[in-house]
Amino acid sequence: MQIVISGTGLYTPKEGISNLELVTSFNEYVRQFNDARQNDIASGKMEPLQESSVEFIEKASGIKHRYVMNKEGILDPKLMRPNLTERPNEQMSLQCEMAFFAAKQAMQEANKTGNDIDFVIVACSNMQRPYPAIAIELQQALQIDGYAYDLNVACSSATFGIQTAVNAIKAGSAKAVLIVNPEICSGHLNFRDRNSHFIFGDAGTAIVVEAADTATADCQYEIVDCKLKTLFSSNVRNNGGFLSRCTPESRDNADKLFVQDGKKVFKEVTPLVANLILEHLEKNHIKPNDLTRLWLHQANSNMNRLIGTKLLGHEPSTEEAPIILDEYANTSSAGSVIAFHKTCKDLAKGSIGILCSFGAGYSAGNIILKKIF
Ligand code: CO8
């Protein structure tokens, strides 16, 4: 059975923060923090906090800018978190609203209405609440009859969602599936942590997956094959959860937000991903040089350069491996889908590419795609 991606959508928050704005606010926080503790610092009782730098961020990650759901709270040195108003239950939740805009665009591209979809997956790193599922709220907002659930495999949520959609269609439990990745990464990023305050941004993406015989979209990619891998690691971790209130003394510790050993992640995940893609291509009798485009996860441009070079035997051009993290930063599961959404239309019929995600878990997912329309 031939299964295709027949539409994608993107929600980009209205507000953006440049590295300079982020670093200026962080360094003001550092100044105020150190000033308030100058005696302890002078006596050697504690180390002063170090400033962040635009040059470091751009060199180490390639990130220059990010979009966020609330800029003013993040840049306020006294707050350093998004300032978001809690909504009443009667109102659509923030995460559902993001998902809704991306989903509408993907459905429009795929020439689908709510009547045509029968399975909704909200696949992303963090849900704004445990239940009811954001996916079921979205299902209702889009007037979809069928079933819906949330799925979280951190940065790899979108590719794991695609595999789930393919399985459901092949098994006959769904005809057309909507996968949505509303990532409010700023909600669980520690903007007071110099090592990670620059890493993430917010965005939402959506994908329609259906059987080729029902697809009518102008642009369609056959899902040739999917390969998923997980390997437990605490090198990217967030310990926040419903048990946090049971130990109030540590409830607000830094580990209740995103923490990582970035160097270890870089060193361990880069070869894991390159080998996963090579094995996957070999299984499908595809040579790496047959690939026209690599839509890689958007965490770090140096990481993508290394993975691309290992695959292609030369440093990939931005045409071969598009980069959107310079503008969006790491948007977790949405990253590779944003890259795909922005650069999938211009390929010739018959072109082959990969949509690849990797991140916390560790988790990695590779989807081989072939443009058929
Ligand atoms: N400004 C200036 N200097 C800095 C800064 C800063 N902001 N931060 C660190 N430094 C210093 C360090 O202190 C260190 O100094 P020294 O050498 O004196 O000790 C030096 O710069 C080098 O630091 P690092 O070794 O940390 O620098 P790296 O070159 O390793 O770069 C990166 C850091 C950019 C984080 C890099 O390691 C990286 O990108 N690694 C891969 C990370 C990755 O892909 N992680 C996947 C996680 S994403 C995911 O799975 C989704 C999770 C769920 C979403 C969560 C949303 C919040």
Side-chain angles (χ1 to χ4, degrees):
M1 182 190 238
Q2 200 180 28
I3 296 174
V4 299
I5 291 180
S6 54
T8 54
L10 169 63
Y11 170 79
T12 302
K14 291 185 189 67
E15 301 184 358
I17 300 178
S18 69
N19 282 347
L20 183 60
E21 288 175 295
L22 192 75
V23 165
T24 304
S25 125
F26 180 87
N27 290 348
E28 176 55 23
Y29 157 73
V30 167
R31 193 190 62 73
Q32 290 177 14
F33 182 97
N34 290 343
D35 277 0
R37 293 158 185 82
Q38 50 184 293
N39 290 341
D40 284 348
I41 291 169
S43 69
K45 242 177 160 175
M46 68 181 292
E47 290 292 321
L49 292 184
Q50 304 288 316
E51 291 197 339
S52 182
S53 97
V54 171
E55 295 69 35
F56 170 82
I57 295 170
E58 295 191 2
K59 190 157 177 271
S61 70
I63 295 165
K64 296 180 177 155
H65 176 275
R66 72 282 298 139
Y67 295 99
V68 292
M69 296 306 278
N70 175 264
K71 172 173 179 168
E72 152 261 329
I74 292 169
L75 291 184
D76 179 349
K78 298 235 178 305
L79 217 52
M80 301 189 85
R81 59 160 171 79
N83 199 11
L84 300 169
T85 312
E86 203 169 63
R87 296 180 176 188
N89 288 356
E90 297 70 40
Q91 198 182 339
M92 189 187 281
S93 67
L94 184 68
Q95 198 165 22
C96 183
E97 192 174 277
M98 265 177 115
F100 183 82
F101 286 119
K104 278 285 203 191
Q105 190 185 3
M107 287 164 67
Q108 197 176 356
E109 272 197 6
N111 299 323
K112 296 280 174 260
T113 68
N115 290 333
D116 304 310
I117 309 277
D118 52 1
F119 178 17
V120 179
I121 307 171
V122 165
C124 65
S125 281
N126 278 71
M127 306 301 161
Q128 78 169 72
R129 61 168 186 262
Y131 45 83
I134 305 291
I136 302 177
E137 188 185 359
L138 179 66
Q139 176 196 358
Q140 178 189 257
L142 293 167
Q143 297 178 304
I144 289 170
D145 188 21
Y147 66 108
Y149 56 78
D150 293 345
L151 178 158
N152 177 354
V153 201
C155 289
S156 291
S157 299
T159 53
F160 279 57
I162 291 171
Q163 169 81 86
T164 306
V166 168
N167 291 347
I169 295 169
K170 282 190 177 161
S173 56
K175 290 199 297 284
V177 186
L178 174 69
I179 304 154
V180 196
N181 325 105
E183 292 286 11
I184 313 178
C185 298
S186 60
H188 44 105
L189 180 56
N190 183 355
F191 288 97
R192 294 191 173 95
D193 174 30
R194 177 179 180 249
N195 291 311
S196 63
H197 76 117
F198 57 89
I199 291 180
F200 291 97
D202 302 334
T205 47
I207 307 160
V208 174
V209 174
E210 62 181 315
D213 56 10
T214 62
T216 60
D218 296 340
C219 174
Q220 294 177 32
Y221 276 85
E222 180 190 354
I223 300 172
V224 177
D225 198 27
C226 310
K227 188 174 172 71
L228 312 179
K229 188 171 178 71
T230 50
L231 186 70
F232 186 66
S233 167
S234 290
N235 289 333
V236 192
R237 195 161 171 133
N238 183 334
N239 285 329
F242 66 88
L243 292 184
S244 301
R245 75 183 185 99
C246 305
T247 46
E249 61 283 1
S250 59
R251 186 171 48 194
D252 295 321
N253 286 2
D255 72 315
K256 305 303 182 295
L257 293 169
F258 168 88
V259 275
Q260 73 167 353
D261 185 331
K263 255 211 164 32
K264 274 196 187 150
V265 177
F266 195 114
K267 252 179 94 175
E268 293 173 4
V269 171
T270 304
L272 184 148
V273 171
N275 291 333
L276 174 91
I277 298 171
L278 286 170
E279 282 167 23
H280 194 200
L281 293 175
E282 196 178 338
K283 182 191 149 217
N284 284 277
H285 312 291
I286 296 168
K287 292 190 215 62
N289 285 314
D290 295 336
L291 298 175
T292 307
R293 202 151 280 171
L294 318 173
W295 293 288
L296 299 177
H297 177 52
Q298 302 283 317
N300 184 306
S301 56
N302 300 323
M303 220 168 168
N304 288 11
R305 197 172 307 126
L306 284 175
I307 293 168
T309 304
K310 174 99 193 273
L311 292 177
L312 305 178
H314 62 266
E315 194 174 300
S317 64
T318 50
E319 179 129 333
E320 289 171 310
I323 290 288
I324 59 93
L325 64 89
D326 52 347
E327 179 184 350
Y328 280 81
N330 181 345
T331 51
S332 194
S333 67
S336 54
V337 186
I338 299 175
F340 178 75
H341 173 79
K342 284 182 173 277
T343 66
C344 69
K345 307 280 189 309
D346 66 319
L347 295 199
K349 196 172 157 181
S351 301
I352 302 173
I354 52 161
L355 179 76
C356 182
S357 65
F358 40 89
Y362 296 135
S363 60
N366 192 53
I367 315 288
I368 300 175
L369 296 169
K370 183 176 184 181
K371 191 153 191 276
I372 56 169
F373 284 107

